[in-house]
Amino acid sequence: QVRAVESGGDQVQPGGSLRLSCTPASGSTLEGYAIGWFRQTSGDEREGISCISWIGGSKYYKPSVGGRFTISRDNARHTVYLQMDNLKPEDTGMYFCARTSTMGRDSCRPVPEWGQGTQVTVAS
């Protein structure tokens, strides 16, 4: 299993920014894997928000976050980031990172190995 630790969530006002970080849990590694960020809202199924390949050459964004979110990774630091700008209330949810099972132009699916997640709340 590959497990990760998410951090960086907070409560912000609409229009604000956050940067989420994803690092490997103890005894785990992100090396060699495409990694994605997935959001869960009110117990619904986790949806793919953004994913990045191991080298970083391929990226996926959910259309509703395109132009506002930027995914990146620093493999030397074993960290995957999600920069979230111009946040909207509909971005609210628990964010998880996980390795991906598939990643294409239209979707990104996780391998369901979940950590604790980090909560993002966008409200006035």
Side-chain angles (χ1 to χ4, degrees), residues 17-31:
S17 296
L18 287 173
R19 188 176 78 160
L20 306 185
S21 296
C22 171
T23 55
S26 178
S28 196
T29 181
L30 304 182
E31 185 174 357

Side-chain angles (χ1 to χ4, degrees), residues 33-67:
Y33 297 110
I35 299 294
W37 285 96
F38 303 89
R39 180 175 67 206
Q40 185 177 38
T41 305
S42 302
D44 293 340
E45 181 177 351
R46 293 173 175 93
E47 60 176 343
I49 300 301
S50 184
C51 296
I52 187 169
S53 60
W54 161 237
I55 300 299
S58 295
K59 300 177 183 179
Y60 163 80
Y61 293 99
K62 180 179 171 66
S64 63
V65 307

